[in-house]
């Protein structure tokens, strides 16, 4: 089994590919399916006693119809994105509905809106199709119940998703409007995230606070749905605000600006060579392999422990720890390009090299995180494992 398939199975049940896009049913979907059966089954039985125990199977069919509606919604996103050559990694159907995960792509305000609104548009089309069936045919029985459910479910999914706040699709309208006005996608994302939080507050007031003020406590199922949906939306809105804030700081992420000074030495060098190049322990010392590529970093603690009379006979590799495979970056790397590259590397430190491949600095992961989050953490001036 390939690594990709193994990862997919950990995330859920692979359902195959549609238009070349992997579709995964997350295990969490079974939670919402069970909730639907438990909450909606008794309601169906009360309204249609003739169904008997079959009411619970109809409730399960309702959960499956919701799943299909979400799948069509996400496919609309993915297929519209394909028109603009945005590579789609996968579609995941889960407890909260589903999401389409894209790989790296270049967006514009207009295209972002079109891709986002394709999902709700697909649900409105499904709702319209179900309405035509209901008005043109006398279905009766279970078929009539499920078609009605399908129509209303898609109508509500469509309306809900066009609400103007992230993580809902309508939030892309707010994001794109601010993006277009300011020229900053980051500011648009933050604004849409705050709009999403406002929507959560509004939903909480309408479905929970308003009934309580009127002396009508909400039903348990409505209470649970409001809390779950509100919690999901709040987390998504908060994540959008954080993402937008970090994106707005990408211009501060620069290998040359964030790295501490460092020099490179060949792997054949000795401790005496290190002391000659860096007598006070600064700058940092990077050990390079036979091909000249950075392979390790000298540990000042191990270096200080070498007796003076053994400095010429102790190799530099004996007082260094290994860098991750390929853990070096050009000093001109910056922004999103640098972040994406570092995300593929192992370890927490990376050598910085110039156009000639010479080591000029040592970049710590915490310095990059500090630049992105604005937390004020200083660049890593101590090698991994060194006490501060």
């Amino acid at each position: 089994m390939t690594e990709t398939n193994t990862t997919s199975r950990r995330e859920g049940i692979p359902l195959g590919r549609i238009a070349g896009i992997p579709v995964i049913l997350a295990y969490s979907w079974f939670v919402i399916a069970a909730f639907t059966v438990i909450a909606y089954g008794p309601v169906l039985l009360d309204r249609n006693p003739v169904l008997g125990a079959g009411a619970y199977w109809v409730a399960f069919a309702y959960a499956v119809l919701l799943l299909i509606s979400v799948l069509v919604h996400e496919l609309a996103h993915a297929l519209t994105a394909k028109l603009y050559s945005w590579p789609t990694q996968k579609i995941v159907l889960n407890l909260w509905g589903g999401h389409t995960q894209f790989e790296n792509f270049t967006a514009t305000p207009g295209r972002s809106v079109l891709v986002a609104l394709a999902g709700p548009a697909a649900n409105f089309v499904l709702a319209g199709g179900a309405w035509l069936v209901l008005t043109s045919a006398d279905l009766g029985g279970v078929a009539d119940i499920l078609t009605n459910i399908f129509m209303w479910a898609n109508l509500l999914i469509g309306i809900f998703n066009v609400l103007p706040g992230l993580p809902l699709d309508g939030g892309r309208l707010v994001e794109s409007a601010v993006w277009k006005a300011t020229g900053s996608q980051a500011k648009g994302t933050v604004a849409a995230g705050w709009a999403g939080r406002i929507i959560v507050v509004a939903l909480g007031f309408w479905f929970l606070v308003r009934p309580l003020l009127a002396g009508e406590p909400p039903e348990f199922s409505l209470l649970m749905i409001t809390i779950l949906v509100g919690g999901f939306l709040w987390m998504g809105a908060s994540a959008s605000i954080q993402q937008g804030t970090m994106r707005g700081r990408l211009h501060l992420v620069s290998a040359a600006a964030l790295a501490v000074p460092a020099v490179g030495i060949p792997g054949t060098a000795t401790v005496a060579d290190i002391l000659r190049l860096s007598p006070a322990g600064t700058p940092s010392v990077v050990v390079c392999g036979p091909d000249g590529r950075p392979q390790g970093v000298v540990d000042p603690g191990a270096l200080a422990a070498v007796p003076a009379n053994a400095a010429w006979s102790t190799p530099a590799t004996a007082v260094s720890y290994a860098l991750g495979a390929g853990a070096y970056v050009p000093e001109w790397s910056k922004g999103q390009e640098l972040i994406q590259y570092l995300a593929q590397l192992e370890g927490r430190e990376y050598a910085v090299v110039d156009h000639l491949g010479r080591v000029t600095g040592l970049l710590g992961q915490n310095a990059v995180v500090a630049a992105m989050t604005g937390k004020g953490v200083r660049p890593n001036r101590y090698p991994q494992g060194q006490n501060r």
Side-chain angles (χ1 to χ4, degrees), residues 65-66 68-70 72-73 118-136 146-160:
L65 287 176
L66 281 175
I68 294 172
S69 300
V70 172
V72 172
H73 177 104
N123 292 119
F124 288 135
V125 170
L126 291 178
W131 178 80
L132 287 175
V133 171
L134 288 171
T135 55
S136 61
L146 290 178
T147 305
N148 259 293
I149 288 173
F150 188 71
M151 179 186 70
W152 286 108
N154 276 280
L155 183 61
L156 291 175
I157 290 173
I159 293 174
F160 183 69

Side-chain angles (χ1 to χ4, degrees), residues 18 40 50-51 76 110 116 130 140 162 166-167 175 181 197 212 215 225 268 272 293 307 332-333 354 360 367 371 384:
I18 300 178
Y40 194 64
V50 69
L51 292 176
V162 296
L166 288 175
E175 179 189 56
R197 285 182 170 180
L212 287 174
I225 291 173
T268 55
R293 296 178 180 178
W332 59 87
S333 299
D354 63 13
T360 60
Q384 202 169 12

